Amino acid sequence: MSQYLWLIPLGFVIGAFGTLIGAGGGFVLVPLLLILYPKENPEVITSISLAVVFFNAFSGSVAYARMKRIDYRAGIFFSLVGIPGAILGALTTYYVPREVFHAVCGMAMLLAAGYLLWQPAPHQNPEPQEIPEEAAPRISFNLPLGALISACVGYVSSLLGIGGGIIHVPALIRVLNFPVHVATATSHFILAVMALTGTVVHVASGAFHVGFRRTFFLAIGVVAGAQVGAALSRHVRGPWIIRALAIALALVALRLLL
């Protein structure tokens, strides 16, 4: 057991950063696991990541719920639409060779990073520290478009084990016009549902038990880190959250591809 203790501080950092930007941390954890365990099958890597993303997203959602930033109407709708895709994505992982998995994962992250850096986040008020402790505003959005995005996110997130926040947060902000801090909180709520769905599929298939110990120690770290990330979100401006997400995506993508 002692050889896994170092995963706790790693999980803490991933949990704090993943919650701050609303992405769940899977986009960092998956490439790290690929590097740390070069002989592991993609389905084992994704099963570990999805389980850790669930604990991260659940802990972060509890913190964001206390801040009243989650749009539950949108969150529940997007979660329900994304569940079938999450199941299909988790099942597809078993048929993807590791080399292809590396390439697809890296290109997806690089494209997302390029888009975010190319079109900077709009300035949105109020700033995080000025957000009142009241319910998130009821946001009107394009229902069919939101459903299509969530279905695709559910599939890709489970296929790659990244949780989907790196796609959902930009989509909520850019396409559906959610305020940045409502988008990150609502994305975390959706992540919890999608990641749990993918994890259940891997548990049923038998892949999850291989990485159970690693998941356990990472989960300890991310649960604590998520609370810190949610607290930090009060003091970080929306555009900086988007820039941090883009830079992190680009660095991890390049490491995978090169």
Side-chain angles (χ1 to χ4, degrees):
M1 285 286 188
S2 60
Q3 70 266 34
Y4 298 116
L5 290 176
W6 65 275
L7 293 173
I8 296 177
L10 175 63
F12 180 87
V13 174
I14 290 172
F17 186 62
T19 299
L20 174 64
I21 63 177
F27 70 97
V28 176
L29 183 57
V30 168
L32 282 176
L33 291 175
L34 288 171
I35 294 167
L36 293 169
Y37 303 104
K39 296 182 180 179
E40 203 68 87
N41 293 326
E43 61 266 24
V44 175
I45 298 295
T46 55
S47 69
I48 294 172
S49 179
L50 284 174
V52 172
V53 167
F54 165 71
F55 284 107
N56 185 2
F58 180 79
S59 179
S61 294
V62 170
Y64 282 132
R66 289 198 297 264
M67 299 176 190
K68 299 180 180 179
R69 290 188 187 174
I70 300 173
D71 185 331
Y72 290 103
R73 170 176 165 266
I76 292 171
F77 173 73
F78 291 145
S79 298
L80 292 175
V81 172
I83 285 175
I87 294 173
L88 183 60
L91 293 173
T92 306
T93 305
Y94 292 84
Y95 303 99
V96 180
R98 187 177 171 106
E99 294 76 15
V100 176
F101 188 83
H102 270 246
V104 172
C105 191
M107 285 303 301
M109 293 178 184
L110 200 57
L111 287 172
Y115 174 73
L116 291 175
L117 289 173
W118 174 63
Q119 186 176 359
H123 292 281
Q124 299 186 30
N125 291 312
E127 295 300 345
Q129 61 268 29
E130 299 171 353
I131 293 176
E133 293 295 330
E134 59 185 26
R138 189 179 181 88
I139 299 166
S140 298
F141 55 87
N142 187 318
L143 208 64
L145 180 59
L148 176 62
I149 291 171
S150 293
C152 294
V153 169
Y155 177 77
V156 174
S157 65
S158 280
L159 172 65
L160 301 178
I162 56 178
I166 62 168
I167 306 170
H168 235 152
V169 172
L172 289 175
I173 296 168
R174 307 291 193 189
V175 182
L176 301 179
N177 299 315
F178 277 60
V180 172
H181 289 85
V182 175
T184 54
T186 304
S187 170
H188 240 58
F189 177 84
I190 300 166
L191 279 176
V193 177
M194 289 190 180
L196 179 60
T197 301
T199 301
V200 169
V201 173
H202 286 300
V203 169
S205 66
F208 179 73
H209 75 278
V210 178
F212 174 77
R213 290 184 179 180
R214 285 168 284 184
T215 301
F216 175 78
F217 286 96
L218 284 166
I220 293 174
V222 298
V223 167
Q227 298 298 312
V228 174
L232 287 175
S233 71
R234 293 175 177 270
H235 309 289
V236 180
R237 295 172 181 267
W240 283 107
I241 292 177
I242 300 301
R243 292 189 187 105
L245 173 58
I247 293 170
L249 285 175
L251 291 175
V252 173
L254 290 172
R255 175 64 184 87
L256 268 184
L257 293 171
L258 301 177

